Amino acid sequence: MVAAVHYFATIADQDALLDYLGEPDNVALAPWPIVLDPLVPLDSSAALTGDSVMIVTPALGAPVLIRPGEAALREPTRAGLFNRLNWERLQPGSAEALVDSNVSPVLFWQPGTASDSAITLSELGSQADAMDAISADYARWVNRAMNGEKGARGIGRSG
């Protein structure tokens, strides 16, 4: 099941989230869903201005990348269908790959924006159909990340 928290946050709140997750020592930030191969990390200021960001913790492993000809594009499953649709829609270049969100131990983050007049919605969670199928440690990490933010800022959960 895809799981996420949706929340409103200032830039200071977003920085606190990254501190809570252990950035830059314990997690790395990268674009989502198209990445360069090999992965090129973002610094936190670039991530905060990005539309969609992947949060990777090396302790759980690297993201699984999809390239032409790989099994993830041929699977007769819902995940395989979404991989094919995303590949066709996004058309990664020859040095790029798609993140296979169904098997990668990563968090999906859409940082909202904040100005003097408005704060937009942010989202943090997992895009995997079954987090436990990736690993029990991954499922615990996702839940800690989402619950840490919820507890700290009164955020509601959806999924």
CSV table of all heavy atoms in Angstrom, one decimal, residues 118-141:
chain,number,residue,atom,x,y,z
A,118,ALA,N,1.7,32.5,1.8
A,118,ALA,CA,1.1,31.2,1.6
A,118,ALA,C,2.1,30.1,1.9
A,118,ALA,O,3.3,30.2,1.8
A,118,ALA,CB,0.6,31.0,0.2
A,119,ILE,N,1.5,29.0,2.3
A,119,ILE,CA,2.3,27.7,2.5
A,119,ILE,C,1.6,26.7,1.7
A,119,ILE,O,0.3,26.5,1.9
A,119,ILE,CB,2.4,27.3,4.0
A,119,ILE,CG1,3.2,28.3,4.8
A,119,ILE,CG2,3.1,25.9,4.1
A,119,ILE,CD1,3.3,28.0,6.3
A,120,THR,N,2.3,25.9,0.8
A,120,THR,CA,1.7,24.9,0.0
A,120,THR,C,1.9,23.5,0.7
A,120,THR,O,2.8,23.3,1.5
A,120,THR,CB,2.1,24.9,-1.4
A,120,THR,OG1,3.5,24.6,-1.4
A,120,THR,CG2,1.9,26.3,-2.1
A,121,LEU,N,1.1,22.6,0.2
A,121,LEU,CA,1.1,21.2,0.8
A,121,LEU,C,2.4,20.5,0.5
A,121,LEU,O,2.9,20.5,-0.7
A,121,LEU,CB,-0.1,20.4,0.2
A,121,LEU,CG,-0.4,19.1,0.9
A,121,LEU,CD1,-0.8,19.3,2.3
A,121,LEU,CD2,-1.4,18.4,0.1
A,122,SER,N,3.0,19.8,1.5
A,122,SER,CA,4.1,18.9,1.3
A,122,SER,C,3.6,17.5,1.5
A,122,SER,O,2.6,17.2,2.1
A,122,SER,CB,5.2,19.2,2.4
A,122,SER,OG,5.7,20.5,2.2
A,123,GLU,N,4.4,16.5,1.0
A,123,GLU,CA,4.1,15.1,1.1
A,123,GLU,C,5.4,14.3,1.3
A,123,GLU,O,6.4,14.6,0.8
A,123,GLU,CB,3.4,14.6,-0.2
A,123,GLU,CG,3.0,13.2,-0.2
A,123,GLU,CD,2.3,12.8,-1.5
A,123,GLU,OE1,1.9,13.6,-2.3
A,123,GLU,OE2,2.2,11.6,-1.7
A,124,LEU,N,5.3,13.3,2.2
A,124,LEU,CA,6.4,12.4,2.5
A,124,LEU,C,5.8,11.0,2.7
A,124,LEU,O,4.8,10.8,3.4
A,124,LEU,CB,7.1,12.9,3.8
A,124,LEU,CG,8.2,12.0,4.3
A,124,LEU,CD1,9.4,12.1,3.4
A,124,LEU,CD2,8.5,12.3,5.8
A,125,GLY,N,6.5,10.1,2.0
A,125,GLY,CA,6.0,8.7,2.2
A,125,GLY,C,6.7,7.7,1.3
A,125,GLY,O,7.8,8.0,0.7
A,126,SER,N,6.1,6.6,1.1
A,126,SER,CA,6.6,5.5,0.3
A,126,SER,C,5.6,5.2,-0.9
A,126,SER,O,4.4,5.3,-0.7
A,126,SER,CB,6.7,4.2,1.1
A,126,SER,OG,6.9,3.1,0.2
A,127,GLN,N,6.2,5.0,-2.1
A,127,GLN,CA,5.4,4.7,-3.3
A,127,GLN,C,5.3,3.1,-3.5
A,127,GLN,O,4.7,2.7,-4.5
A,127,GLN,CB,6.0,5.3,-4.5
A,127,GLN,CG,6.0,6.8,-4.4
A,127,GLN,CD,4.7,7.4,-4.5
A,127,GLN,OE1,3.9,7.2,-5.4
A,127,GLN,NE2,4.3,8.1,-3.4
A,128,ALA,N,5.8,2.3,-2.6
A,128,ALA,CA,5.8,0.9,-2.7
A,128,ALA,C,4.4,0.3,-2.4
A,128,ALA,O,3.8,0.8,-1.5
A,128,ALA,CB,6.8,0.2,-1.8
A,129,ASP,N,4.0,-0.7,-3.2
A,129,ASP,CA,2.8,-1.4,-3.0
A,129,ASP,C,2.8,-2.1,-1.6
A,129,ASP,O,1.8,-2.1,-0.9
A,129,ASP,CB,2.5,-2.4,-4.1
A,129,ASP,CG,2.1,-1.8,-5.4
A,129,ASP,OD1,1.7,-0.6,-5.4
A,129,ASP,OD2,2.2,-2.5,-6.4
A,130,ALA,N,3.9,-2.6,-1.3
A,130,ALA,CA,4.1,-3.4,0.0
A,130,ALA,C,5.4,-3.1,0.6
A,130,ALA,O,6.4,-3.6,0.2
A,130,ALA,CB,3.9,-4.9,-0.2
A,131,MET,N,5.5,-2.2,1.6
A,131,MET,CA,6.8,-1.8,2.2
A,131,MET,C,7.5,-3.0,2.8
A,131,MET,O,8.7,-3.1,2.6
A,131,MET,CB,6.5,-0.7,3.2
A,131,MET,CG,6.1,0.6,2.6
A,131,MET,SD,5.9,2.0,3.8
A,131,MET,CE,4.5,1.4,4.7
A,132,ASP,N,6.8,-3.9,3.4
A,132,ASP,CA,7.4,-5.1,4.0
A,132,ASP,C,8.0,-6.0,3.0
A,132,ASP,O,8.9,-6.7,3.3
A,132,ASP,CB,6.4,-5.9,4.9
A,132,ASP,CG,6.1,-5.2,6.2
A,132,ASP,OD1,7.0,-4.6,6.8
A,132,ASP,OD2,4.9,-5.3,6.7
A,133,ALA,N,7.5,-5.9,1.8
A,133,ALA,CA,8.1,-6.8,0.7
A,133,ALA,C,9.5,-6.3,0.3
A,133,ALA,O,10.3,-7.1,-0.1
A,133,ALA,CB,7.2,-6.8,-0.5
A,134,ILE,N,9.8,-5.0,0.6
A,134,ILE,CA,11.1,-4.5,0.4
A,134,ILE,C,12.0,-5.0,1.5
A,134,ILE,O,13.0,-5.6,1.3
A,134,ILE,CB,11.1,-2.9,0.2
A,134,ILE,CG1,10.4,-2.5,-1.0
A,134,ILE,CG2,12.5,-2.4,0.2
A,134,ILE,CD1,10.2,-1.1,-1.2
A,135,SER,N,11.6,-4.7,2.7
A,135,SER,CA,12.2,-5.2,3.9
A,135,SER,C,11.5,-4.7,5.2
A,135,SER,O,10.9,-3.6,5.1
A,135,SER,CB,13.7,-4.9,4.0
A,135,SER,OG,13.9,-3.5,4.5
A,136,ALA,N,11.6,-5.4,6.2
A,136,ALA,CA,10.9,-5.0,7.5
A,136,ALA,C,11.6,-3.7,8.0
A,136,ALA,O,11.0,-2.8,8.5
A,136,ALA,CB,11.0,-6.1,8.5
A,137,ASP,N,12.9,-3.6,7.8
A,137,ASP,CA,13.7,-2.4,8.2
A,137,ASP,C,13.2,-1.2,7.4
A,137,ASP,O,13.1,-0.1,8.0
A,137,ASP,CB,15.2,-2.6,8.1
A,137,ASP,CG,15.8,-3.6,9.1
A,137,ASP,OD1,15.2,-3.8,10.1
A,137,ASP,OD2,16.9,-4.1,8.8
A,138,TYR,N,12.9,-1.4,6.2
A,138,TYR,CA,12.5,-0.3,5.3
A,138,TYR,C,11.1,0.2,5.8
A,138,TYR,O,10.8,1.4,6.0
A,138,TYR,CB,12.4,-0.7,3.9
A,138,TYR,CG,11.6,0.3,3.0
A,138,TYR,CD1,12.2,1.6,2.8
A,138,TYR,CD2,10.4,0.0,2.4
A,138,TYR,CE1,11.5,2.5,2.0
A,138,TYR,CE2,9.8,0.9,1.7
A,138,TYR,CZ,10.3,2.2,1.4
A,138,TYR,OH,9.6,3.1,0.6
A,139,ALA,N,10.2,-0.8,6.1
A,139,ALA,CA,8.8,-0.4,6.6
A,139,ALA,C,8.9,0.3,7.9
A,139,ALA,O,8.2,1.3,8.1
A,139,ALA,CB,8.0,-1.7,6.7
A,140,ARG,N,9.8,-0.1,8.8
A,140,ARG,CA,10.0,0.6,10.1
A,140,ARG,C,10.5,2.0,9.8
A,140,ARG,O,10.1,3.0,10.5
A,140,ARG,CB,10.9,-0.1,11.0
A,140,ARG,CG,10.2,-1.3,11.7
A,140,ARG,CD,11.1,-1.9,12.8
A,140,ARG,NE,12.3,-2.6,12.3
A,140,ARG,CZ,12.3,-3.8,11.8
A,140,ARG,NH1,11.2,-4.6,11.9
A,140,ARG,NH2,13.4,-4.4,11.4
A,141,TRP,N,11.5,2.2,8.9
A,141,TRP,CA,12.1,3.5,8.6
A,141,TRP,C,11.0,4.4,8.1
A,141,TRP,O,10.9,5.6,8.5
A,141,TRP,CB,13.2,3.4,7.7
A,141,TRP,CG,13.9,4.6,7.3
A,141,TRP,CD1,14.5,5.5,8.1
A,141,TRP,CD2,14.0,5.2,6.0
A,141,TRP,NE1,15.0,6.6,7.4
A,141,TRP,CE2,14.8,6.4,6.1
A,141,TRP,CE3,13.6,4.8,4.7
A,141,TRP,CZ2,15.1,7.2,5.0
A,141,TRP,CZ3,14.0,5.6,3.6
A,141,TRP,CH2,14.7,6.8,3.8
